[in-house]
Amino acid sequence: MQNFSYKNPTEIVFGKGTIGAIKNLIPRERSVLFLYGGGSIKKNGVYAQVRAALKGLKVSECGGIEANPLYETCLRAVAIVKKEKLDFILAVGGGSVLDAGKFIAAAACFKGKDPWEILRQHGSNVEAALPVGAVLTLPATGSESNGNSVISRSATQEKLHFFSKHVFPVFSVLDPETTYSLPAKQVRNGIVDTFVHVMEQYMTYNSGAPLQDRLAESLIQTLVELAPVTLKEPEDYEARATFMWTATLALNTLIGCGVPQDWSTHMIGHELTAFYGLDHAETLAIVMPGVWQYKFAAKKEKLAQYGRRVWNVKTAREAIAKTEKFFHAIGMPTRFSDYKIAASEAAEKVCQRFHDRDDAFGEHQDITASAAKKILLSRA
Ligand code: NZQ
Ligand code: ZN
């Protein structure tokens, strides 16, 4: 096992009817920016619950955060924060709203000239941030309990991430009933994103961490079991509750302690969203099987272990096939042709990007520009 330090400061408040708890989680003297997305919270009753809980506090609202939140929109929110001297960000929505909240929190305190530098330097230059609280309405990203944020810039078709210990939410309210209104497509996306988060921290090589392996495998087994139930019965509370908690544990940094990590699927996937506008999870389902095939020799021991323990199959190849079959069973395509995108064009574009930035990813840092190209060409 590798050395590690572990600290997750986010207080999780979980369960039915828990939104009211934010009343006691935000100090009375704080002035709040209430951040949300395109309006789903107004239709499903979450907005009204949050408003009721915020009674008595100074609150400014900022809606309209997009899926794959835009830098340009975040800057408008930063201007509101500064103008109105707000000092607490309450993000209410899916991963996009939470990620936007984290970026706004960091940008509001940023001493440098150009806040885009936070993303270009992946957060290494973040020295402080306003406190962020969250009410999560979409289980998927794990953003409710980690220090990551991913922001897109439309002008340059870029999508970059940053990490900072300063932007872990101070609290996150997870009420599974808020997810009942999710369209099936978003549930499917959340299942796949959660699945791939586990795999980025697991599907590498044996590193003498049997507990982390079994934690990861149990998250996947749980996901495979609940996926058909929660897709078919959106209001099955127990299935939604299990899904929500599984998604949080998949990326709250616990299962990644002391183990090698890959993340090349995510890094290639972010480029595909930037260039083609595919949903985050859609990109992952295309790329991950390609990464596994490309790195077959290095990953086959772990693939076989996963196959045995999760799918009851004997070989690494069967484990890959089972994974794609699972994605298809929940309605998630795994090929470029499903989106009428030319794999050759996508491969060329991503290769050029990685080359320009001199990027290399994966547990062996060998997913370079040319490797990414080969992986994408195999996913036509
Ligand atoms: O904008 P509204 O109207 O709220 O609608 C949203 C949006 O259209 C809707 N939605 C959310 N909750 C709902 C709901 N509709 C009905 N009922 C509800 N309860 O769902 C749509 C998608 O929302 P979004 O927040 O974009 O989805 P998700 O949570 O999948 O977040 C995706 C973003 O997170 C980033 C991705 O790259 C992408 O930008 N990621 C963040 C990570 C992190 N912070 O750790 C890690 C991930 O790997 C990922 O990269
Ligand atoms: Zn993800």
Side-chain angles (χ1 to χ4, degrees):
M1 199 188 301
Q2 300 171 357
N3 294 0
F4 65 89
S5 75
Y6 173 73
K7 180 178 179 183
N8 189 314
T10 304
E11 176 172 355
I12 300 285
V13 180
F14 192 100
K16 253 181 223 190
T18 46
I19 291 178
I22 61 182
K23 189 164 46 223
N24 303 317
L25 292 166
I26 304 177
R28 292 288 95 184
E29 66 277 11
R30 293 282 178 177
S31 305
V32 180
L33 179 74
F34 172 8
L35 194 71
Y36 56 93
S40 68
I41 65 165
K42 292 205 167 152
K43 292 189 203 128
N44 62 12
V46 170
Y47 176 88
Q49 291 181 62
V50 171
R51 266 285 166 197
L54 291 176
K55 225 173 234 150
L57 283 168
K58 183 187 165 204
V59 179
S60 294
E61 274 189 27
C62 178
I65 299 296
E66 311 81 0
N68 305 307
L70 290 179
Y71 177 65
E72 294 84 348
T73 310
C74 290
L75 288 190
R76 283 203 287 279
V78 173
I80 298 174
V81 167
K82 288 187 173 167
K83 183 164 166 256
E84 301 187 15
K85 299 195 171 38
L86 307 176
D87 58 8
F88 193 97
I89 313 287
L90 179 66
V92 183
S96 292
V97 177
L98 274 57
D99 283 8
K102 292 172 178 181
F103 178 73
I104 293 160
C109 300
F110 188 59
K111 301 246 168 52
K113 251 196 185 143
D114 178 8
W116 186 247
E117 282 300 311
I118 293 174
L119 291 150
R120 275 176 31 91
Q121 296 185 34
H122 303 305
S124 60
N125 50 359
V126 173
E127 288 168 5
L130 297 177
V132 178
V135 176
L136 183 74
T137 64
L138 199 178
T141 61
S143 189
E144 64 276 14
S145 188
N146 67 39
N148 304 324
S149 161
V150 192
I151 302 294
S152 298
R153 193 167 189 173
S154 61
T156 51
Q157 285 194 309
E158 285 175 282
K159 181 172 186 183
L160 295 179
H161 69 277
F162 82 98
F163 168 85
S164 169
K165 66 177 182 184
H166 301 294
V167 299
F168 273 77
V170 289
F171 67 79
S172 283
V173 175
L174 276 55
D175 178 346
E177 289 189 325
T178 65
T179 72
Y180 289 175
S181 56
L182 280 168
K185 187 184 182 206
Q186 295 301 338
V187 178
R188 173 205 75 169
N189 284 356
I191 292 165
V192 170
D193 197 18
T194 302
F195 195 106
V196 179
H197 292 157
V198 175
M199 288 302 174
E200 299 276 24
Q201 301 164 87
Y202 168 87
M203 194 55 74
T204 55
Y205 53 87
N206 191 344
S207 63
L211 173 64
Q212 288 87 326
D213 278 5
R214 288 201 168 84
L215 288 172
E217 288 153 2
S218 69
L219 292 174
I220 294 292
Q221 284 169 317
T222 306
L223 208 52
V224 168
E225 191 176 273
L226 69 81
V229 183
T230 207
L231 276 165
K232 191 154 165 259
E233 300 288 345
E235 302 200 9
D236 178 329
Y237 179 82
E238 296 305 332
R240 275 295 149 99
T242 301
F243 176 29
M244 214 168 192
W245 189 223
T246 304
T248 301
L249 290 178
L251 198 48
N252 74 344
T253 74
L254 176 68
I255 66 168
C257 288
V259 297
Q261 302 191 18
D262 183 337
W263 295 105
S264 58
T265 293
H266 268 71
M267 293 304 127
I268 297 172
H270 286 172
E271 300 304 333
L272 295 176
T273 298
F275 285 125
Y276 297 103
L278 293 178
D279 289 352
H280 173 61
E282 291 174 337
T283 70
L284 305 176
I286 297 172
V287 178
M288 189 178 71
V291 170
W292 288 1
Q293 296 283 3
Y294 181 76
K295 293 297 299 175
F296 190 77
K299 290 184 186 287
K300 68 175 187 297
E301 197 186 323
K302 216 58 195 286
L303 277 165
Q305 174 181 309
Y306 154 67
R308 262 192 329 274
R309 292 186 182 173
V310 172
W311 296 110
N312 207 16
V313 296
K314 292 203 176 67
T315 68
R317 297 256 179 239
E318 287 171 286
I320 300 177
K322 280 282 188 188
T323 306
E324 275 205 68
K325 213 167 152 198
F326 171 67
F327 288 171
H328 296 160
I330 60 170
M332 179 59 92
T334 56
R335 295 274 172 180
F336 279 118
S337 54
D338 296 306
Y339 302 98
K340 307 211 169 4
I341 292 172
S344 52
E345 185 197 84
E348 209 49 65
K349 286 186 166 193
V350 175
C351 176
Q352 188 60 48
R353 265 263 151 99
F354 277 28
H355 185 264
D356 293 346
R357 296 201 198 117
D358 203 16
D359 275 342
F361 303 106
E363 65 274 21
H364 298 293
Q365 291 287 296
D366 56 358
I367 305 299
T368 55
S370 64
K373 183 172 174 177
K374 286 186 195 134
I375 289 164
L376 293 179
L377 283 174
S378 74
R379 303 306 297 163

